[in-house]
Amino acid sequence: MTSRTVFYNIVRFFFLIFLQTLVLNHIYLGGLINPYLYIYFILLLPFSVPGWMLLLSSFLLGVGVDLFTNTLGLNAAACVLMAFFRPMVINLVSSDANSLIGETPSLRNQGVKWFIYYAAILTLIHHFALFYLEVFRFGEFLMTFLRVILSAAFTMMLIMISEYLLFIRKQ
């Protein structure tokens, strides 16, 4: 990992925490949709990041959001779970090691189909953990499931818009 990559990830880390806590946490569409774009940080971490650093940075990201939202570790737990499954999801959606082009996962490097599978699976893992830990009972299973699906779809839309904006900027 180059120092430039480390710098961009540090800036992205703080930018996404502040964007999430100052803007996106105040979007609550119909009581069902909450966008969680801050997970984009975990999605864009380089392939070469060691497992311990992936888990630690994901934990710190979640704690950063938890500090501003008083959610007592819910975001940290969901982010660590997402980071734990990230290497498995990369292996699941990658046909071979040659498909991992470039230093970081991106729409430009891996293509649309790969990136959508990768981001959607990890977004669903995060959202399932976050919403079911928040409710912490199965009495509202269907309503919580609907919130997970709608929020994950909205979050994926924001992630894809962000990817296309970065893709256009780099061309």
Side-chain angles (χ1 to χ4, degrees):
M1 236 183 348
T2 65
S3 59
R4 184 177 180 181
T5 304
V6 171
F7 174 74
Y8 282 141
N9 280 308
I10 290 171
V11 169
R12 185 181 300 129
F13 178 89
F14 288 108
F15 173 75
L16 286 171
I17 287 176
F18 289 121
L19 178 66
Q20 183 66 46
T21 57
L22 298 175
V23 178
L24 297 175
N25 279 352
H26 300 289
I27 297 175
Y28 199 64
L29 302 172
L32 294 173
I33 300 174
N34 303 94
Y36 290 100
L37 186 61
Y38 76 98
I39 65 171
Y40 190 45
F41 172 79
I42 301 168
L43 294 172
L44 293 185
L45 282 173
F47 292 117
S48 61
V49 170
W52 67 269
M53 187 180 289
L54 174 64
L55 291 172
L56 180 63
S57 59
S58 298
F59 174 74
L60 293 174
L61 178 71
V63 166
V65 173
D66 284 332
L67 285 174
F68 289 106
T69 58
N70 295 323
T71 48
L72 303 171
L74 293 177
N75 290 288
C79 284
V80 169
L81 185 68
M82 179 182 170
F84 177 78
F85 280 106
R86 182 179 181 250
M88 291 174 249
V89 171
I90 289 171
N91 288 334
L92 177 72
V93 298
S94 301
S95 57
D96 60 4
N98 295 331
S99 66
L100 301 180
I101 301 165
E103 191 173 309
T104 61
S106 70
L107 191 66
R108 181 168 66 136
N109 291 340
Q110 277 66 44
V112 175
K113 183 178 176 183
W114 187 96
F115 191 81
I116 287 175
Y117 285 152
Y118 164 74
I121 293 168
L122 288 174
T123 300
L124 284 169
I125 289 170
H126 173 271
H127 284 47
F128 268 105
L130 181 66
F131 287 122
Y132 280 104
L133 283 173
E134 180 182 58
V135 173
F136 207 68
R137 64 180 177 271
F138 287 109
E140 299 175 21
F141 182 82
L142 292 177
M143 183 57 85
T144 304
F145 185 76
L146 182 62
R147 282 184 62 207
V148 167
I149 298 302
L150 293 175
S151 293
F154 194 76
T155 300
M156 278 299 298
M157 183 185 72
L158 292 177
I159 288 169
M160 294 308 290
I161 289 169
S162 300
E163 271 297 297
Y164 275 110
L165 291 175
L166 289 174
F167 181 68
I168 291 169
R169 195 185 88 204
K170 288 183 179 180
Q171 280 186 344

